[in-house]
Amino acid sequence: MDTPGLVVHGEAAPFSTALRSLINNCLYSDVRFVVGQERQEVFAHRCLLACRCNFFQRLLSQEPGPGVPSPVVLSTVPAEAFLAVLEFLYTNSVKLHRHSVSPLGRGLGGRGREWAEGRGNSLLFQPPTLQVLEVLTAAVEYGLEELRELCLEFVVKVLDVELVCEALQVAVTFGLGPLQECCIAFIETHSQEALRTRGFLELSAPALLFMLRSDKLGVDEAELVLAVRNWACVSAAVLERPVAEVAAPVVQELRLALLAPAELSALEEQNQQEPLIPVEQIVEAWKCHALRRGDAAQGAVCRRRRGTLPREHHRFLDLPLK
């Protein structure tokens, strides 16, 4: 009777080192990629990519014809992020960085807004590359669940004021619920700082909506109105659309009834010169002041946030601060 075989394992490190040496190595390479806006040439090995990733299996399913095969163009992924994906596919490990460690590739920039609006890259936004978010984006797009989870774990560990809005955009774009909740919680604790970042100005309208719906933002409504105006002006310039049109999906979440009458009057005057908020929304805020009690003083529009500064008329609001 044959005895069952025994699986024995050699050292993993030399095996990983050997495979790592093949990353972007033209030796025995049978597929070329042209990646990123810089159109960097990257060499890879068809069989390894196909057996490790269904995306590449479908992409590389056709056998190359005679002669020198044409390169596979992947223009939306930065070269550095693509090389990180290859590192994971070849070695099942990857070295992640918060920022780019090479001059290759641009950051997410307005990419989140461009995904949401269906636009191309904007030359107005060229922040430093947030390498881990680019790798996370590629992992999601290529269906690499293990790499996605590794990136999510890393992002949560290094999350800070400069990173959080960019991370929120990625979370909203790809429906990454846990990361989205983590980002909102961080913004609630560091609201004023987050509103002053480039990442805030680059949020898409759906991502900004998630932020504005929070009762726990540590910022006063007057500051929030100003921040939204700044966001809308930048977005309007990028998208080449009127400010009020760009702002329409998000201004409904501004709680104008929390402003004092003098603040509301000043906002109304500014709004006449520089339209941002629908007139009907300002009228509803005045109703809350006029009626003080009843239906007009109920609901989210009158609910104070954690950072709302006290004003005399707040004592008439039916809903206390939570």
Side-chain angles (χ1 to χ4, degrees):
M1 180 178 179
D2 292 337
T3 58
L6 177 65
V7 177
V8 295
H9 298 276
E11 292 290 332
F15 179 76
S16 178
T17 301
L19 285 177
R20 192 181 303 276
S21 70
L22 294 177
I23 298 172
N24 197 19
N25 189 335
C26 61
L27 184 65
Y28 306 125
S29 169
D30 56 358
V31 61
R32 283 185 304 135
F33 294 92
V34 173
V35 298
Q37 295 181 5
E38 301 78 12
R39 297 184 61 82
Q40 181 181 343
E41 189 175 51
V42 176
F43 297 95
H45 303 81
R46 184 182 298 266
C47 63
L48 195 150
L49 298 188
C51 72
R52 288 279 284 151
C53 176
N54 289 335
F55 171 85
F56 287 109
Q57 185 180 59
R58 293 190 297 270
L59 184 66
L60 305 173
S61 59
Q62 291 186 343
E63 289 294 328
V68 179
S70 300
V72 178
V73 178
L74 298 174
S75 59
T76 61
V77 57
E80 186 179 1
F82 186 73
L83 288 171
V85 170
L86 292 189
E87 180 183 1
F88 177 77
L89 293 178
Y90 278 67
T91 70
N92 209 41
S93 63
V94 61
K95 188 172 184 179
L96 297 173
H97 304 273
R98 184 184 179 282
H99 285 296
S100 173
V101 293
S102 80
L104 294 171
R106 285 173 43 196
L108 285 170
R111 192 170 167 190
R113 184 182 302 145
E114 290 153 10
W115 285 327
E117 301 290 344
R119 295 181 58 84
N121 287 315
S122 166
L123 296 180
L124 296 181
F125 291 96
Q126 299 186 31
T129 299
L130 294 172
Q131 185 253 16
V132 64
L133 295 183
E134 295 286 13
V135 178
L136 172 59
T137 297
V140 173
E141 292 179 337
Y142 298 161
L144 296 170
E145 295 186 7
E146 187 178 5
L147 179 57
R148 181 194 66 187
E149 293 304 313
L150 292 173
C151 290
L152 288 174
E153 182 180 343
F154 182 86
V155 170
V156 171
K157 286 182 179 179
V158 302
L159 199 62
D160 62 12
V161 169
E162 293 300 324
L163 178 64
V164 67
C165 287
E166 297 268 17
L168 175 62
Q169 182 60 66
V170 172
V172 171
T173 299
F174 293 107
L176 304 174
L179 178 59
Q180 179 178 306
E181 293 174 5
C182 183
C183 290
I184 292 296
F186 187 95
I187 291 172
E188 289 170 344
T189 306
H190 305 85
S191 302
Q192 292 184 339
E193 298 93 329
L195 294 180
R196 292 193 286 266
T197 63
R198 180 191 294 268
F200 172 78
L201 296 176
E202 295 181 343
L203 287 174
S204 65
L208 182 54
L209 270 174
F210 279 105
M211 184 188 303
L212 295 179
R213 287 170 180 160
S214 171
D215 292 339
K216 298 179 181 179
L217 292 178
V219 63
D220 186 64
E221 209 66 23
E223 293 181 64
L224 206 52
V225 171
L226 179 59
V228 170
R229 180 177 288 278
N230 292 339
W231 170 86
C233 289
V234 172
S235 298
V238 173
L239 302 174
E240 300 179 350
R241 291 162 51 191
V243 171
E245 180 182 329
V246 171
V250 302
V251 292
Q252 59 187 317
E253 296 298 330
L254 293 173
R255 305 175 186 184
L256 303 183
L258 298 177
L259 302 177
E263 295 173 307
L264 195 54
S265 294
L267 175 63
E268 189 171 24
E269 181 177 345
Q270 182 184 16
N271 199 65
Q272 291 174 351
Q273 300 174 1
E274 303 171 351
L276 174 73
I277 301 170
V279 174
E280 297 80 8
Q281 188 175 346
I282 298 178
V283 170
E284 288 300 315
W286 280 119
K287 284 183 181 179
C288 290
H289 282 276
L291 300 178
R292 293 190 174 182
R293 291 187 178 277
D295 293 341
Q298 295 180 4
V301 294
C302 292
R303 190 163 60 241
R304 285 165 279 177
R305 305 181 196 269
R306 183 176 63 85
T308 301
L309 298 177
R311 294 166 173 82
E312 192 277 336
H313 74 286
H314 288 177
R315 62 194 177 94
F316 296 108
L317 302 182
D318 290 340
L319 296 178
L321 172 65
K322 293 184 178 180

